[in-house]
Amino acid sequence: RTLTLIARAVAAVGMVAILLVLNSPLQSWCATVAPATLAASKSLEAKMQTLGGKDTQALPSYPAVIITENEANSYLKIHSNEFLPAGVSTPAVKVQPEHAIVTGDVNFDELSRLYPNQTDMGPKILAAMFHGTQHVAIVGKVQSQAAGVLIQVESITVGSITVPNWLVEYLITNVLQPKYHFDLSKPFPYTDHVKQVVLGSGQVTFLRGPKGGK
């Protein structure tokens, strides 16, 4: 879980996979959340249910589903503690055409304590490079293809330091992909009825149609 922020958030960029935890009961402290934030979070949950639906009969139409930055960030504000590891906080996503930027604050000292296994080189390298709480920014390029959404991690910045490409590739290939069972060299498959994902300024549009193009 060293870089769950990368694993979940970067994958989320086209597929909004960072919002994997759906239909989870709201904790009692949600009553203290601003009504607008709570409403935006619940709006995203409803849209994700639509995107994840498996209709057995064709519908007359499949309207596009648009998820905004505000909805995604409202959801993260309420629910991120349910799926991010200790040491990772204040996650946020910013959407731009063909790109998404995911940010968060990471306490590397806390993360290193979660990994006592001395053979796990990923955490050891990070612990040697970074200390204390640092602001992390991840830039991902998103391409919607026929088979799904292809995501390329373009850069990771920790504080004022840009993580070297060789280390980014090492962490993705040897730490994240085996642990979370994904492969960034292949597109993430679309959910049923989703045909294309378009990233614009401040929003992600899911274009939909009948399954199999019928």
Side-chain angles (χ1 to χ4, degrees):
R1 297 185 301 177
T2 306
L3 290 178
T4 301
L5 187 62
I6 298 174
R8 292 184 183 275
V10 172
V13 204
M15 303 299 291
V16 196
I18 199 171
L19 310 170
L20 289 174
V21 183
L22 297 175
N23 302 319
S24 54
L26 296 179
Q27 304 298 321
S28 59
W29 54 264
C30 285
T32 64
V33 175
T37 300
L38 185 57
S41 174
K42 294 181 75 67
S43 174
L44 179 125
E45 292 185 58
K47 291 177 180 179
M48 290 301 291
Q49 288 181 345
T50 298
L51 291 172
K54 296 182 180 295
D55 299 314
T56 56
Q57 295 182 344
L59 298 178
S61 64
Y62 293 84
V65 174
I66 299 175
I67 293 178
T68 67
E69 279 181 10
N70 180 55
E71 290 171 326
N73 288 322
S74 294
Y75 184 94
L76 290 173
K77 184 174 183 179
I78 294 174
H79 292 289
S80 62
N81 67 320
E82 298 169 12
F83 51 84
L84 290 182
V88 180
S89 61
T90 63
V93 60
K94 182 176 180 60
V95 182
Q96 300 175 345
E98 296 188 352
H99 288 81
I101 302 171
V102 179
T103 62
D105 294 312
V106 179
N107 185 326
F108 286 93
D109 295 334
E110 179 70 19
L111 281 179
S112 65
R113 288 193 287 269
L114 295 176
Y115 297 90
N117 185 355
Q118 296 300 310
T119 64
D120 195 339
M121 292 302 297
K124 289 179 66 175
I125 294 173
L126 290 173
M129 292 182 63
F130 306 111
H131 301 279
T133 299
Q134 304 280 351
H135 190 66
V136 176
I138 306 159
V139 178
K141 182 177 182 180
V142 182
Q143 296 175 295
S144 190
Q145 302 181 345
V149 176
L150 186 65
I151 299 171
Q152 177 185 1
V153 179
E154 291 191 334
S155 67
I156 300 176
T157 304
V158 178
S160 60
I161 300 174
T162 299
V163 179
N165 289 336
W166 67 266
L167 179 54
V168 173
E169 293 176 4
Y170 176 88
L171 291 171
I172 291 174
T173 303
N174 297 284
V175 179
L176 296 177
Q177 293 187 164
K179 188 179 292 292
Y180 296 103
H181 308 293
F182 67 89
D183 186 351
L184 287 184
S185 68
K186 300 177 181 179
F188 287 84
Y190 296 121
T191 57
D192 279 2
H193 307 297
V194 173
K195 303 298 182 181
Q196 186 178 4
V197 177
V198 181
L199 275 69
S201 297
Q203 66 182 35
V204 180
T205 300
F206 295 81
L207 301 177
R208 306 164 66 228
K211 187 174 182 180
K214 298 179 182 180

